[in-house]
Amino acid sequence: PNMSFSAGNNYDRGVNTFSPEGRLFQVEYAIEAIKLGTTAVGIQTAEGVVLAVEKRLTSPLMEPSSIEKIMEIDSHIGCAMSGLTADARTMVEHARVETQNHRFNYDAPMSTESCTQCICDLALRFGERGKENDDAALSRPFGVALLIAGVDKDGAHLFHTDPSGTFVRYDAKAIGAGSENAQNTLQHEYHKSMSLRDAEHLALRILKDVMEEKVNAVNVEVAASRIDTGAFRVYTQAEV
């Protein structure tokens, strides 16, 4: 028999049930789901943050520009995703509303950390079923990890979020199928004094190493939050 299933021992059925060892299996499985996703890399430098993502083109008839793996949240914050992209859309939509509310209420852009926090607040909503008139409760954890890149008054920031609603700040982070090899390369090659240009090159080189297809301007997407412009921007194909 498959041992991994007996390990869950039916504690993996409900999303809100702890196992006797104190684990929430559904959340762990969601984190596993991300290891099937496309690889994404984020690198923070003193000049800004770079995000680079692989696009899996499963057919030559696919329109590459329709695959969105990097999304803008606000003019100064964006994110790269790996896992179930549809789940990411829900989170990005929520973050866009929150960042706009923040501008409206405080007449100032939201900090990258606060934005990440508001996305992670959403991640654990699956535990809230059963409240009156609460249609917003989710039936399962989000199966997506995000790399959130932003610039604010405190400089450039890169955050990683996972389905458990945990977020951690990183200098450099890789998520998705090729993340283990990519993270090793980042640990060896990243240094705090990197320029944004170096970071772009490193990110693309890492994607080249972990992708099955050859890298070209069509099957990768690159974006950056720059301190000099204070803006997040996805690069055009020509720039890549």
Side-chain angles (χ1 to χ4, degrees):
N2 186 339
M3 284 309 290
S4 64
F5 274 129
S6 58
N9 207 5
N10 288 347
Y11 284 101
D12 56 1
R13 296 285 178 269
V15 288
N16 292 325
T17 312
F18 279 100
S19 78
E21 297 85 54
R23 292 160 63 181
L24 279 173
F25 283 107
Q26 285 300 313
V27 175
E28 290 183 25
Y29 296 162
I31 293 171
E32 286 302 311
I34 288 144
K35 295 181 184 161
L36 307 171
T38 48
T39 311
V41 179
I43 303 176
Q44 179 195 316
T45 69
E47 298 168 24
V49 189
V50 174
L51 297 175
V53 187
E54 148 192 23
K55 290 185 180 187
R56 255 187 223 149
L57 302 172
T58 48
S59 153
L61 300 176
M62 267 173 130
E63 172 51 55
S65 64
S66 68
I67 300 178
E68 270 192 293
K69 298 279 181 185
I70 295 183
M71 293 172 103
E72 182 179 311
I73 292 173
D74 198 348
S75 59
H76 62 302
I77 303 176
C79 70
M81 61 198 69
S82 182
L84 292 172
T85 0
D87 282 356
R89 226 166 283 137
T90 310
M91 297 160 88
V92 168
E93 194 52 47
H94 174 73
R96 284 173 174 168
V97 172
E98 290 293 324
T99 50
Q100 291 308 312
N101 280 343
H102 191 280
R103 277 182 192 273
F104 183 75
N105 290 329
Y106 304 106
D107 196 23
M110 199 172 195
S111 74
T112 316
E113 182 167 6
S114 303
C115 176
T116 308
Q117 176 78 64
C118 85
I119 290 176
C120 287
D121 289 346
L122 192 69
L124 283 182
R125 293 291 300 277
F126 64 81
E128 298 180 11
R129 287 204 318 262
K131 292 190 183 161
E132 311 80 73
N133 66 39
D134 186 11
D135 303 327
L138 314 162
S139 53
R140 57 168 176 78
F142 283 131
V144 70
L146 300 179
L147 293 175
I148 299 171
V151 288
D152 50 44
K153 61 183 191 313
D154 302 321
H157 302 280
L158 173 68
F159 287 97
H160 167 247
T161 78
D162 74 9
S164 67
T166 312
F167 67 95
V168 184
R169 191 174 163 195
Y170 277 90
D171 286 330
K173 178 71 177 155
I175 55 176
S179 58
E180 274 186 39
N181 294 341
Q183 196 65 32
N184 285 337
T185 312
L186 284 170
Q187 276 167 11
H188 290 303
E189 310 221 2
Y190 175 81
H191 49 89
K192 282 209 180 339
S193 57
M194 275 182 132
S195 70
L196 201 64
R197 195 109 193 99
D198 294 341
E200 290 167 1
H201 288 158
L202 177 59
L204 284 171
R205 203 171 77 237
I206 287 174
L207 284 185
K208 179 172 158 255
D209 291 342
V210 300
M211 277 168 67
E212 281 136 37
E213 283 80 39
K214 283 184 74 133
V215 168
N216 56 40
V218 178
N219 63 10
V220 294
E221 199 169 14
V222 184
S225 260
R226 299 178 65 102
I227 287 185
D228 52 7
T229 59
F232 176 82
R233 196 171 64 83
V234 180
Y235 296 1
T236 61
Q237 263 191 30
E239 290 174 291
V240 173

